[in-house]
Amino acid sequence: MKVISRLATAVYLASLIPFAAHAGEVEVLHWWTSGGEKRAADTLKQMVEAKGHTWKDFAVAGGGGEAAMTVLKTRAVSGNPPAAAQIKGPDIQEWGELGLLTDLNEVAKRQKWDELLPSQVADIMKYDGDYVAVPVNVHRVNWLWINPEVFAKAGAKPPTTLDELFTAADKLKAAGFIAIAHGGQPWQDGTVFEDLAFAILGPADFRKAFVDQDEAVLTGDKMVEVFATLKKLHGYIDANAAGRDWNAAAGLVINGKAGMQIMGDWAKSEWTAAGKIAGEDYSCIPFPGTQGSFAYNIDSLAMFKLADADNRKAQEDLAEIVMGKEFQAIFNKNKGSIPVRQDMDMSSFDSCAQASMKDFKEAAGNGGLQPSLAHGMAASSYVQGAVFDVVTNFFNDANADPKKAAQQLAAAIQAVQ
């Protein structure tokens, strides 16, 4: 009987081998660490684990991703990259040139990515014609977040122009509120600068400045006006802004201590996490002066070459899950962004997301859809870093000259070309 029992056990264990052979480990480097973002990342983890794979979380805090990229470079140089990493925009091309990324063409063909994705998005995910990254979502950067209750107490109205923005800020400040909640970090300074540039330059000149790096636009009168307006705006943030994380700034608006925040739609994840309802507890409006335009930031996971076949299968399953309708709906509702798939039913999304998808599709057809510089979509990380240095130094220097800053901006970009 013992022999039969041992034989039965052996047969049973053998039956598990085919399943085990398909189970791999997928290590994902990301910076989705705030409340709403973390829930969104946990959703992906659960769906990967439901496939029988092991999820190895590699989260590096920091809203702009600078810390995560530093860690990734160290891992990649040592020959031990993760299966997937949150990389986006032109940086995907740089990693592709190093020969470290694997192709996702089989998954893309099976799911028909070319049909599901707008061409602007698909092109970013490819290197040398091959899909090497999977897009997770589309963020809109040019949003203004408002606490209506605070605005009502201050007698302020939601602004549609920059003049109206400062009128509202004056009323909020006079009523004892922080007018504009801000975190004094380079990427947050860059986000505010970008929205002002988008409003003052317009989408065409915005592209000339930050995609084409046109010196005439970078040093022109409109760019000087952008810096002058940025200087004015500094007077409406509080003295404790230095070093504050973006989600802490969002919390000031949510808790009624501040009237508004200039931030991309990932800020909505904090409102959602706090149980607030779009259109009731908070308002989202296009940043004044950018109506009809859409500065986009696309989160994506670039896939690195792996030697282990099981881990490669887990990696492909990860990509397939990310592009699936179920994940696209759950993740983007938590993250505050909109689905990257263009065939999604938006009726179950909140009013901010519905407006965002509508504006995204319209902007794609009228020239208003432009890549965000502050969030790594318009230019390389070197150009982005050069801009951040100029902007942050200017923003924190009360005596800084706007005209000189525009010239420094052009010089700094030229220096890293």
Side-chain angles (χ1 to χ4, degrees), residues 81-137:
Q86 191 179 345
I87 303 173
K88 54 190 181 178
D91 285 350
I92 293 174
Q93 305 304 309
E94 291 188 11
W95 285 100
E97 288 172 6
L98 294 174
L100 296 174
L101 302 183
T102 191
D103 78 76
L104 299 169
N105 293 336
E106 286 187 19
V107 178
K109 186 176 181 181
R110 187 162 61 244
Q111 284 190 304
K112 301 179 179 179
W113 290 8
D114 280 340
E115 296 176 23
L116 294 173
L117 300 174
S119 60
Q120 294 100 322
V121 177
D123 290 345
I124 296 168
M125 300 303 127
K126 294 177 181 177
Y127 172 72
D128 200 22
D130 296 322
Y131 276 103
V132 294
V134 56
V136 180
N137 55 9

Side-chain angles (χ1 to χ4, degrees), residues 191-362:
T191 298
V192 173
F193 169 78
E194 171 172 290
D195 282 349
L196 289 172
F198 208 29
I200 293 169
L201 298 176
D205 278 350
F206 179 88
R207 186 175 188 86
K208 285 181 183 177
F210 302 118
V211 177
D212 302 332
Q213 282 123 44
D214 185 304
E215 187 176 358
V217 178
L218 287 168
T219 59
D221 291 343
K222 283 187 176 181
M223 190 63 75
V224 174
E225 185 184 344
V226 172
F227 277 103
T229 309
L230 181 65
K231 188 171 189 175
K232 182 178 180 180
L233 189 142
H234 191 275
Y236 296 95
I237 65 175
D238 67 296
N240 298 318
R244 179 188 289 142
D245 287 332
W246 71 269
N247 47 315
L252 292 173
V253 187
I254 294 169
N255 296 326
K257 295 178 181 179
M260 50 188 164
Q261 181 185 23
I262 302 164
M263 187 54 63
D265 54 15
W266 49 92
K268 188 176 62 172
S269 67
E270 295 302 301
W271 290 92
T272 302
K276 305 298 183 181
I277 299 172
E280 295 181 17
D281 301 311
Y282 65 98
S283 300
C284 56
I285 61 174
F287 184 76
T290 69
Q291 294 89 333
S293 299
F294 194 114
Y296 66 83
N297 170 27
I298 300 172
D299 284 323
S300 52
L301 294 175
M303 304 294 179
F304 286 81
K305 289 180 178 177
L306 301 176
D308 186 273
D310 293 343
N311 292 347
R312 167 67 178 166
K313 176 63 169 63
Q315 186 182 55
E316 290 184 346
D317 284 348
L318 169 66
E320 194 164 334
I321 289 168
V322 166
M323 275 294 290
K325 282 188 175 182
E326 182 183 4
F327 173 77
Q328 284 283 313
I330 296 172
F331 182 89
N332 285 292
K333 286 177 182 177
N334 275 312
K335 187 74 161 58
S337 45
I338 57 175
V340 73
R341 292 177 62 130
Q342 296 298 279
D343 63 344
M344 294 288 290
D345 178 3
M346 296 296 292
S347 61
S348 64
F349 284 75
D350 63 45
S351 58
C352 290
Q354 290 177 11
S356 188
M357 180 64 87
K358 178 176 177 290
D359 291 349
F360 175 73
K361 290 180 177 179
E362 287 182 4

Side-chain angles (χ1 to χ4, degrees), residues 147-156 168-181 235-238 252-253 255-260:
N147 185 320
E149 186 178 344
V150 172
F151 263 60
K153 289 178 180 177
D170 283 331
K171 290 188 175 183
L172 290 163
K173 197 173 180 180
F177 297 103
I178 297 170
I180 299 171
Y236 296 95
I237 65 175
D238 67 296
L252 292 173
V253 187
N255 296 326
K257 295 178 181 179
M260 50 188 164

Side-chain angles (χ1 to χ4, degrees), residues 387-402:
V387 173
F388 283 179
D389 286 345
V390 173
V391 168
T392 292
N393 288 337
F394 175 86
F395 199 47
N396 294 304
D397 181 357
N399 299 314
D401 177 56

